[in-house]
Amino acid sequence: MNTVEFGKNRWTVRYGYRDGAEKTAVDRVCGLIQPYVPYILTASPADCAETLPEEVTNRVVIGTMRDNAELRQLAEAGFFVPEERAEGYCIKTGPDPAGGERHVTVLQGADAAGVLYAAADYERYAIRDRETYHGYHYNGRYRPFVDEPLPFERRSAPRIEHRGLWSWGHVIYDYKAYIDRMSECKLNTLILWNDYAPLNAAEIIRYAHDRAVKVIWGFSWCWGEKVDPEDPADLKKWTDFVLRTYETQYRPLGADGIYFQAFTETRDTTIGGRSISELVIEWVGSISREVYARYPELWIQFGLHATSIREECGKFAAIDPRMSIVWEDAGDFPYAYDPAKNEREEETLAYTKELLALRGTQERFGAVLKGFTVLNWTRFEHQKGPFVLGEASPVYTAQRAEEKEFYWRYAAPYWIRQAPFLRRFLQTVADAPVHDRLITALVEDGVWEGGLHVSVQLLSELLWDPDADPGELLTVILHDARTRI
């Protein structure tokens, strides 16, 4: 019987976890390394008392300081400085302080999400980027990272707290792949709008939480309906509807929050001679008081279209500070549906600064950025009842992805060209002295689950670090063979 000689360059993974997101990170790292090695990669719980086999020369130590004893040992030995900022991480590869020819790679997260993001960026910055180009492009050669663990170090943490995507639920065809792509891009918030909660909503939440993604459920507070905002009977009807919908459909799921829209998606600024701003403030204030009276800790997100508000935005300082105001259509790129619309950059930035200052340091600023893919309204109808979300066949999903490729290819050059302004925009948001920030991208009916598109990747990286150089980010993103235009 022939045997294979693997030599002494053998890898192993040492982990410690309590949380689902940490386990997901361990699974990803093992799956990432396994294709590069000709043996079965081992993984075991970290235990400083356990002696590693002599043939192991490269170990990956992954987890949090709380759960991984080997990380604590390596930190005490001065190998790395632990990252403590929320969702942050430290990645470091170098000679093992224990001596000999061994190397160690640390993937340390400040928390469970940080561990997951360490795994994502270890793949993106330490492996994918290095394997693609080492000056051998003329003959297709590259140097696998497992052959020679090159020194590498990266510490990072997000500047914008809540980073995500917004979509109608019924145009997500594979919810697992959709959420996986989000996690790979360090996105942590998914707003799903539905007329009825999906039958598999609990499964979606569990899957998302295991990938450090919060799920916010969107539904109407009269959006898309005929309503008289000055009619007490209409207000009572919608107050009862909102409470009933939350209590019967979403609260039992352990929802991370709810998102709503009212009657601001119009270019009119008045209804019946009265200011839409004043009417919607009264409407939202009345309904939310009833909701907060029962659920004071509930994260409520108020989707608000600036087209009907305009210069009256200052009036929204009256909105309960517990509520996030999520602005749409507040100017040109990156708010505009067409990413080519960028004539009023300075005006857009100045208006955003006004919105950031509405409630002072209590402000919970949010925005839905556009310029990607949108719903095909010619084929739209409201859901007639509960449905199953994101379980379409792979064949149908692939077919829909091909149909949407044109729109992705249309958008990408504008996002790349306007990256310097996008950076300024997000720096403005990140630097504002507010309570927190929520930035989501409208990625609906684009089959995002089918691939990592460059425009969303660029936005995601700048949401994480608005001070990053867009050119350097694009170099890494475009080196990745998985990236789609």
Side-chain angles (χ1 to χ4, degrees):
M1 178 177 179
N2 293 327
T3 60
V4 178
E5 177 59 51
F6 296 134
K8 293 185 178 180
N9 188 28
R10 184 177 286 268
W11 288 65
T12 192
V13 175
R14 304 280 283 166
Y15 63 84
Y17 58 75
R18 301 182 191 179
D19 185 271
E22 292 177 73
K23 182 180 184 304
T24 300
V26 173
D27 292 346
R28 283 186 180 174
V29 168
C30 290
L32 175 63
I33 297 173
Q34 183 64 77
Y36 291 90
V37 298
Y39 47 82
I40 300 172
L41 179 71
T42 59
S44 57
D47 182 351
C48 289
E50 180 179 323
T51 302
L52 289 174
E54 183 178 348
E55 65 269 21
V56 170
T57 56
N58 300 287
R59 58 178 168 138
V60 177
V61 187
I62 178 171
T64 63
M65 298 298 289
R66 177 193 67 183
D67 295 330
N68 193 313
E70 287 189 16
L71 283 177
R72 295 194 294 273
Q73 184 186 57
L74 288 163
E76 290 168 3
F79 180 76
F80 77 104
V81 177
E83 177 59 66
E84 297 180 348
R85 294 172 292 176
E87 296 191 347
Y89 63 75
C90 176
I91 305 171
K92 184 172 181 180
T93 295
D96 194 324
E101 297 181 359
R102 288 179 170 174
H103 282 73
V104 62
T105 295
V106 158
L107 302 178
Q108 176 261 332
D111 46 34
V115 179
L116 190 63
Y117 300 144
D121 277 359
Y122 178 55
E123 178 175 10
R124 176 171 288 113
Y125 290 100
I127 297 177
R128 299 290 185 191
D129 185 48
R130 291 184 172 205
E131 77 171 12
T132 305
Y133 177 70
H134 277 290
Y136 303 123
H137 57 284
Y138 54 84
N139 62 8
R141 292 174 54 202
Y142 68 88
R143 179 170 50 199
F145 73 100
V146 295
D147 292 346
E148 183 183 351
L150 301 176
F152 179 84
E153 185 168 9
R154 182 178 176 88
R155 296 172 57 86
S156 194
R159 296 273 309 283
I160 292 176
E161 298 89 341
H162 309 294
R163 314 167 301 280
L165 301 182
W166 195 112
S167 178
W168 281 80
H170 71 277
V171 289
I172 291 177
Y173 305 105
D174 180 342
Y175 77 82
K176 292 180 180 178
Y178 194 99
I179 293 169
D180 284 342
R181 299 295 86 74
M182 290 182 62
S183 178
E184 290 175 52
C185 291
K186 303 188 292 293
L187 298 173
N188 65 2
T189 307
L190 174 58
I191 301 176
L192 288 175
W193 181 283
N194 301 287
D195 295 313
Y196 296 87
L199 294 174
N200 56 340
E203 291 89 339
I204 293 167
I205 290 174
R206 283 196 296 270
Y207 194 86
H209 285 180
D210 282 349
R211 284 141 188 86
V213 174
K214 303 178 290 290
V215 183
I216 311 299
W217 298 98
F219 61 92
S220 175
W221 285 22
C222 78
W223 176 89
E225 303 283 350
K226 291 183 178 180
V227 64
D228 181 354
E230 294 192 278
D231 183 352
D234 262 5
L235 179 58
K236 177 67 166 59
K237 179 185 77 172
W238 279 99
T239 302
D240 292 344
F241 170 81
V242 169
L243 284 166
R244 184 172 64 252
T245 299
Y246 175 64
E247 291 177 340
T248 61
Q249 296 189 42
Y250 297 112
R251 186 167 182 265
L253 302 172
D256 296 299
I258 59 174
Y259 168 97
F260 73 91
Q261 292 181 8
F263 45 82
T264 64
E265 191 171 12
T266 174
R267 294 196 173 276
D268 296 331
T269 57
T270 61
I271 296 177
R274 282 200 62 192
S275 161
I276 285 180
S277 298
E278 294 173 0
L279 287 170
V280 78
I281 289 168
E282 293 173 7
W283 183 273
V284 169
S286 180
I287 296 177
S288 64
R289 276 192 296 274
E290 295 293 327
V291 178
Y292 280 134
R294 300 189 193 184
Y295 311 106
E297 303 302 319
L298 178 63
W299 189 12
I300 303 177
Q301 301 178 6
F302 173 15
L304 181 56
H305 295 81
T307 49
S308 59
I309 307 307
R310 299 180 188 174
E311 68 275 3
E312 294 190 331
C313 63
K315 295 180 178 180
F316 288 83
I319 292 293
D320 191 309
R322 289 173 289 185
M323 187 182 300
S324 294
I325 303 178
V326 186
W327 292 91
E328 291 190 47
D329 307 330
D332 283 359
F333 178 88
Y335 291 107
Y337 279 104
D338 187 346
K341 188 177 180 183
N342 63 347
E343 294 84 5
R344 300 181 300 156
E345 289 183 349
E346 298 308 318
E347 184 180 331
T348 297
L349 193 59
Y351 192 65
T352 299
K353 290 178 180 178
E354 287 188 58
L355 304 182
L356 282 160
L358 291 180
R359 293 173 289 181
T361 57
Q362 292 182 305
E363 181 59 48
R364 305 197 72 181
F365 173 82
V368 177
L369 306 185
K370 301 177 180 178
F372 300 100
T373 56
V374 296
L375 200 66
N376 183 351
W377 290 98
T378 65
R379 298 173 55 181
F380 174 81
E381 71 168 9
H382 281 283
Q383 298 153 9
K384 306 303 181 185
F387 70 110
V388 175
L389 188 154
E391 292 285 4
S393 75
V395 172
Y396 180 71
T397 302
Q399 174 190 325
R400 293 292 290 148
E402 286 186 16
E403 294 172 4
K404 294 296 179 177
E405 198 65 25
F406 168 81
Y407 299 97
W408 286 111
R409 297 183 75 83
Y410 171 79
Y414 295 104
W415 284 88
I416 293 171
R417 187 176 70 189
Q418 290 154 201
F421 175 73
L422 179 65
R423 182 191 190 206
R424 286 181 57 209
F425 176 91
L426 295 176
Q427 284 174 329
T428 299
V429 174
D431 292 340
V434 299
H435 181 276
D436 64 5
R437 308 147 186 84
L438 163 69
I439 304 291
T440 61
L442 184 73
V443 177
E444 55 180 6
D445 206 10
V447 201
W448 158 252
E449 53 266 53
L452 290 167
H453 291 277
V454 62
S455 50
V456 180
Q457 287 192 77
L458 176 62
L459 172 62
S460 301
E461 291 299 306
L462 286 172
L463 285 174
W464 179 271
D465 180 10
D467 293 328
D469 182 278
E472 292 180 3
L473 291 176
L474 285 165
T475 298
V476 174
I477 289 169
L478 293 172
H479 272 179
D480 193 332
R482 301 168 300 167
T483 295
R484 299 173 67 172
I485 297 297

